């Protein structure tokens, strides 16, 4: 059996001490993240988390040496290119930091396009020459404008689900088009004896409140549709029943205390229409007579209703 080098032993010991001295330990996938982005993450979160990119074999040795079966379960979710995060923060705070690491980036080739990558017509900053061939090789229709290479036609450069070739990745980077969003992917988090998955940590108070509100609205709608009488829907059902009953009474000419005013308003409106029709057959009145007649007809709705009620009960 090959003997482990002293350097690797020291690294395992370092990782072991980090884990022992930390409240929380997380494994993250760093696939697709460039060294510069890793450095930025460390700089922005200095004092909050410690991020260490490490080989799986050495990390597993450190986890096994702790003698904690739950901690060792982190190995079950260790796919991809992993890194170790140690911190004294709460699990939810660590998760928020991990989620904040995502940023737009250009591909390097070999990635899968998450959506259609479309290149719009534009004038590039490149002079014509060998670069013209590079653009045409990847299917872009080009020309020359003001001494620069111009892309003449909108092009679906890479379709959703297709692999981005290295040639196309090179062009996207040159054009500063960043169709990918990469960041740390949480694989598992251990804190104070418990293992937390990404799904659990994603349940923030706001999301839980939103899910509860949505579920309540759906349950209420179902209860109303099925006429399931519970306190939460009785008020709505009674209001809807009242509206339907009033409409039915009005349509059936059934007078009640609630709709008598509606009947009178309708009767008054019909009387005005009828009066106007009859007046059209009379001799044309002078403008002064029209004004006097208009004044007579100008009555408030309450006056018209009162007259209607008087006529109804004479």
């Amino acid at each position: 059996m090959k003997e482990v080098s002293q350097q690797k032993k020291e690294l395992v010991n370092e990782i072991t001490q980090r884990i022992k001295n930390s409240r929380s330990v997380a494994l993250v996938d760093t696939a697709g993240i460039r060294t510069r982005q890793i450095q930025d993450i460390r700089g922005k979160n200095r004092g909050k988390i410690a991020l260490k990119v490490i080989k799986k074999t050495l990390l597993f040795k450190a986890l096994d040496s702790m003698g904690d079966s739950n901690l060792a379960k982190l190995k079950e979710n260790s796919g991809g290119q992993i890194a170790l995060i140690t911190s004294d923060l709460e699990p939810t705070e660590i998760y928020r930091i991990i989620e904040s690491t995502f940023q737009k980036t250009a591909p390097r080739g070999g990635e899968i396009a998450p959506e259609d990558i479309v290149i719009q017509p534009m004038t590039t900053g490149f002079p014509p020459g060998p670069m013209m061939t590079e653009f045409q090789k990847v299917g872009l229709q080009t020309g020359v404008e003001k001494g620069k290479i111009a892309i003449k036609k909108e092009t679906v450069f890479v379709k959703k689900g297709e692999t981005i070739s290295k040639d196309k990745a090179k062009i996207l980077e040159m054009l500063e088009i960043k169709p990918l969003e990469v960041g740390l992917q949480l694989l598992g988090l251990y804190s104070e004896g418990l293992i937390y998955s990404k799904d659990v940590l994603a349940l923030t108070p706001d999301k839980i409140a939103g899910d509860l509100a949505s579920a309540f609205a759906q349950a209420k709608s179902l209860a109303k549709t099925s006429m399931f009488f519970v306190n939460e829907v009785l008020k709505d059902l009674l209001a809807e029943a009242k509206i339907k009953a009033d409409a039915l009474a009005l349509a059936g000419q059934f007078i009640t205390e609630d709709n008598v005013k509606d009947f009178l308003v309708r009767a008054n409106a019909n009387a005005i229409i009828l009066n106007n029709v009859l007046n059209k057959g009379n001799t044309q009145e002078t403008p002064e007579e029209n004004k006097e007649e208009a004044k007579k007809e100008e009555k408030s709705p309450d006056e018209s209703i009162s007259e209607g009620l008087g006529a109804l009960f004479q």
Side-chain angles (χ1 to χ4, degrees), residues 232-301:
E232 287 77 10
V233 299
L234 276 179
K235 187 176 180 180
D236 292 342
L237 289 174
L238 289 172
E240 290 176 5
K242 175 71 166 55
I243 292 170
K244 291 177 181 178
D246 287 345
L248 182 62
L250 199 60
Q253 303 290 309
F254 183 75
I255 300 176
T256 68
E257 290 182 2
D258 291 331
N259 66 15
V260 64
K261 187 174 181 179
D262 292 332
F263 273 108
L264 291 174
V265 169
R266 180 186 290 183
N268 185 58
N270 289 335
I272 292 172
I273 293 171
L274 179 61
N275 185 53
N276 290 337
V277 171
L278 293 174
N279 284 340
K280 285 183 179 179
N282 296 335
T283 306
Q284 186 174 2
E285 297 174 342
T286 66
E288 291 299 323
E289 291 174 332
N290 284 336
K291 289 181 180 177
E292 290 299 323
E293 188 64 27
K295 287 181 180 178
K296 292 178 182 179
E297 291 181 359
E298 284 181 356
K299 296 180 180 180
S300 68

Side-chain angles (χ1 to χ4, degrees), residues 87-130:
S87 175
D88 289 327
L89 297 177
E90 291 275 358
T92 52
E93 293 181 72
I94 297 172
Y95 178 73
R96 281 197 291 270
I97 290 174
I98 292 172
E99 287 297 292
S100 71
T101 62
F102 282 84
Q103 59 183 245
K104 293 288 187 179
T105 187
R108 288 181 285 190
E111 299 91 344
I112 302 298
E115 300 292 341
D116 285 351
I117 301 174
V118 180
I119 295 182
Q120 303 292 340
M122 68 173 80
T123 300
T124 73
F126 304 102

Side-chain angles (χ1 to χ4, degrees), residues 166-222:
K166 288 188 176 181
D167 288 340
K168 290 188 175 183
K170 178 182 176 182
I171 297 298
L172 289 171
E173 187 169 15
M174 291 170 62
L175 295 176
E176 297 185 351
I177 296 174
K178 301 177 178 181
L180 304 181
E181 192 173 29
V182 299
L184 301 176
Q185 296 275 2
L186 180 66
L187 299 173
L189 188 148
Y190 171 91
S191 183
E192 299 179 320
L194 297 175
I195 292 286
Y196 297 84
S197 67
K198 180 178 179 178
D199 293 340
V200 171
L201 293 172
L203 293 174
T204 62
D206 289 342
K207 188 175 188 306
I208 293 172
D211 289 346
L212 287 174
S214 177
F216 176 79
Q218 292 175 14
K220 187 175 178 181
S221 176
L222 179 61

